[in-house]
Amino acid sequence: GQQLNQSPQSMFIQEGEDVSMNCTSSSIFNTWLWYKQDPGEGPVLLIALYKAGELTSNGRLTAQFGITRKDSFLNISASIPSDVGIYFCAGQAGTYKYIFGTGTRLKVLA
Amino acid sequence: ETGVTQTPRHLVMGMTNKKSLKCEQHLGHNAMYWYKQSAKKPLELMFVYNFKEQTENNSVPSRFSPECPNSSHLFLHLHTLQPEDSALYLCASSQVTGEGYTFGSGTRLTVV
């Protein structure tokens, strides 16, 4: 079945550092999404990507839709303590259906 | 109320109990979903409803029974659950394909 592999699984960074994470698949997707989940809450959509090669920003967050359509990347610049949480990628696997990655757990050290 | 609201936020139930989870969306979306989130596992799609019609059942055991009376409300009826069913159950909605989901805050379910 379709799977999304996210790396790293977890990371500790110092406040102010830039963060990079990625999501890869053996399948092609037409849409990639990035979500963040805070403890005790549901995931919140950060960025949506609809076109191969697309680079989209949302504040300090930048995401890219890989040219092969099998991967996507998320960068966070100048991290702050509230960036802590779990970041999920998701690829559109069919009408009304998304496949989610295993998540990258981010911890920011002040 | 705005967004997607789930109740209750926390639920502890015995294996012989019957309970229901409720989800309501105030976004005018036409598709609603149930996802299961277990520790260290990807989000698992359980059910998809599109305009009140179930369009996907992802091989979910019959002890989970969904109900979608209208496009704004979604229920998950639970009976004779197992301890391994303990998880965070997330409801989501969407308007059209490709625009992603809006998730609720989830119901933390513990089966004892």
Side-chain angles (χ1 to χ4, degrees), chain A residues 79-91:
Chain A
S79 58
I80 59 178
S82 61
D83 289 334
V84 67
I86 305 175
Y87 291 79
F88 291 100
C89 62

Side-chain angles (χ1 to χ4, degrees), chain A residues 68-106:
Chain A
T68 64
R69 292 162 61 196
K70 294 183 178 180
D71 56 11
S72 181
F73 307 88
L74 177 69
N75 296 312
I76 305 173
S77 62
S79 58
I80 59 178
S82 61
D83 289 334
V84 67
I86 305 175
Y87 291 79
F88 291 100
C89 62
Q92 188 178 4
T95 305
Y96 296 103
K97 181 178 177 180
Y98 283 87
I99 303 296
F100 283 81
T102 50
T104 293
R105 187 180 298 271
L106 180 64

